[in-house]
Amino acid sequence: MHPMVKPALRRAWRDLNTVQFGVAPAHAMVLGPMDTATGSFLTLLDGTRGIPLLRDEGRRMGLPDRHVDGLVERLARAGLLDDATGGGPAADALRAKKAVLDRLRPDLASLSLVAPAPGDGMRRLAARRSLRVQVRGAGRVGVVLASALAGAGVGHVDVRDGGCVEPWDVAPGGLPADSIGERREEAARRAVRPAAPDRPPRRGGQSPSEEADPGFSLVIIAPRDGLAAHAPEPTAAEPLIASGTPHLYAGVVEGTGIVGPLVLPGDTACAGCLDRGRSDRDPTWPRLLAQWRSGRQPDQVPACDLTLSATVAGLAAGHALAFLDGELPSSAGARWEASVPGFSWHARPVWPHPACPCGTVEKAKGEQTSGDESPQETMAGQQPDAARLSGTWRAHV
């Protein structure tokens, strides 16, 4: 281990004996009391020395070995310490690609803030290279979203869509103006490719065409017609539910951006639950939806301005990366919505529906009644428990 104080956190002394790591309250931490020698020793925790050499340096500063070991342990326990050599073989392979890692250093610094164990941020970043994500939709949201995922180090980002690029599909960071008239799918892949800092690693030395398709870690449904994100068609997601593939909805409809729900089949509410819940609350919903789906004119251009589409793409990419890195984002069991011109995000819960064939309610009932909860504490429609689901779906990806 080569310990280093996480460089993403700025360090400042509150007084002679108290040091603060970090500026923003979300990740800032205060440590003290700390004597002058120990404060000076902190500058040696820069990732260039292993524990034996740090002990030698500590003795020269009048700090016994047990003090050095205790400080390292204390900083690691507080989530303030990283390991410049940690993360495992995949991380070592990434370190060997200096130009690639330099592109990803801001992402690594961010991961180090949410991955408390030394070396865990690098491990997560390296793990992204082997993940496969599919984005369904090559419009203003989908292509920008796919580019963000590729740029953040996700190794395989596939974009699917039909038709040809229209002038209103063009967006900064997405489809370029010179792609107008080309096939959307090909233009989108060509736009996403340069965003990736590296070519995806091959499996077992095979070329991509020779590889067996292992499935996707995540499918993101980002349709150009935002109605399909606002009111997704349940039957379209049935193959994803059947295969156990996690999927996330994102889009813009009539000046409202939508991110979520993130569907973890069998554990969180799906598009069918969403549809049935709306029909329960509003009996006219099926009639309205049928008219909206069939009544749009082909020459109508959707209300999807650049700022809102970029906002939705960024937030959806953030939720997707959090899930791929092993966390449970707040879109699991909920939809985030924001509208122009206020851009005020708010969450709407999506509850599992007892009549939905996805089986989420039945599974929740089985898990809860087999535990220690009393019947009064059991609620079939409760939102997902982060501690329970994160481990399950981390194994999945």
Side-chain angles (χ1 to χ4, degrees), residues 274-332:
L274 176 64
D275 184 64
R276 287 171 173 82
R278 280 172 161 166
S279 298
D280 290 345
R281 295 190 300 273
D282 181 2
T284 66
W285 173 255
R287 183 186 311 136
L288 294 170
L289 190 55
Q291 295 174 72
W292 290 332
R293 284 174 175 164
S294 62
R296 183 175 172 179
Q297 300 300 317
D299 57 347
Q300 286 181 331
V301 176
C304 180
D305 66 271
L306 285 173
T307 55
L308 183 58
S309 62
T311 300
V312 169
L315 185 63
H319 282 240
L321 287 170
F323 171 70
L324 294 170
D325 292 334
E327 305 292 340
L328 191 69
S330 58
S331 55

Side-chain angles (χ1 to χ4, degrees), residues 100-382:
V100 175
L101 184 56
D102 284 345
R103 287 268 301 271
L104 293 169
R105 284 195 183 279
D107 302 89
L108 175 59
S110 181
L111 278 171
S112 74
L113 299 178
V114 298
D120 198 33
M122 188 65 174
R123 180 191 63 77
R124 294 189 185 190
L125 184 65
R128 288 180 181 179
R129 300 180 69 226
S130 62
L131 298 178
R132 291 168 51 87
V133 175
Q134 184 181 78
V135 178
R136 297 182 180 178
R140 284 187 162 189
V141 173
V143 180
V144 175
L145 197 165
S147 296
L149 294 178
V154 177
H156 303 257
V157 182
D158 181 45
V159 184
R160 295 295 176 93
D161 207 342
C164 296
V165 178
E166 300 287 356
W168 48 85
D169 293 327
V170 173
L175 292 172
D178 59 11
S179 67
I180 295 174
E182 298 180 3
R183 294 187 54 170
R184 278 197 184 91
E185 203 166 274
E186 295 175 1
R189 291 171 180 170
R190 192 163 56 251
V192 170
R193 199 174 299 122
D198 190 22
R199 297 180 63 184
R202 295 179 179 179
R203 294 178 175 82
Q206 293 179 312
S207 67
S209 61
E210 295 172 331
E211 295 174 4
D213 185 358
F216 293 101
S217 304
L218 177 67
V219 171
I220 303 175
I221 302 169
R224 287 176 288 110
D225 181 358
L227 180 63
H230 177 69
E233 174 59 59
T235 57
E238 285 177 357
L240 297 173
I241 298 290
S243 63
T245 303
H247 47 287
L248 171 69
Y249 293 91
V252 175
V253 60
E254 297 178 357
T256 293
I258 301 153
V259 176
L262 169 64
V263 180
L264 308 178
D267 280 308
T268 66
C270 68
C273 298
L274 176 64
D275 184 64
R276 287 171 173 82
R278 280 172 161 166
S279 298
D280 290 345
R281 295 190 300 273
D282 181 2
T284 66
W285 173 255
R287 183 186 311 136
L288 294 170
L289 190 55
Q291 295 174 72
W292 290 332
R293 284 174 175 164
S294 62
R296 183 175 172 179
Q297 300 300 317
D299 57 347
Q300 286 181 331
V301 176
C304 180
D305 66 271
L306 285 173
T307 55
L308 183 58
S309 62
T311 300
V312 169
L315 185 63
H319 282 240
L321 287 170
F323 171 70
L324 294 170
D325 292 334
E327 305 292 340
L328 191 69
S330 58
S331 55
R335 294 158 54 96
W336 285 92
E337 298 180 3
S339 302
V340 293
F343 289 90
S344 177
W345 286 99
H346 56 273
R348 299 183 185 276
V350 181
W351 306 105
H353 196 280
C356 185
C358 71
T360 303
V361 168
E362 292 304 315
K363 181 176 180 181
K365 284 181 179 178
E367 290 179 351
Q368 290 163 352
T369 55
S370 64
D372 297 329
E373 299 90 344
S374 66
Q376 290 77 15
E377 294 171 326
T378 301
M379 183 173 67
Q382 68 180 5

Side-chain angles (χ1 to χ4, degrees), residues 52-70:
L53 184 54
L54 285 171
R55 288 172 180 159
D56 292 342
E57 298 280 2
R59 289 187 212 108
R60 281 192 280 271
M61 300 172 68
L63 300 174
D65 290 357
R66 67 177 180 277
H67 184 87
V68 170
D69 293 347

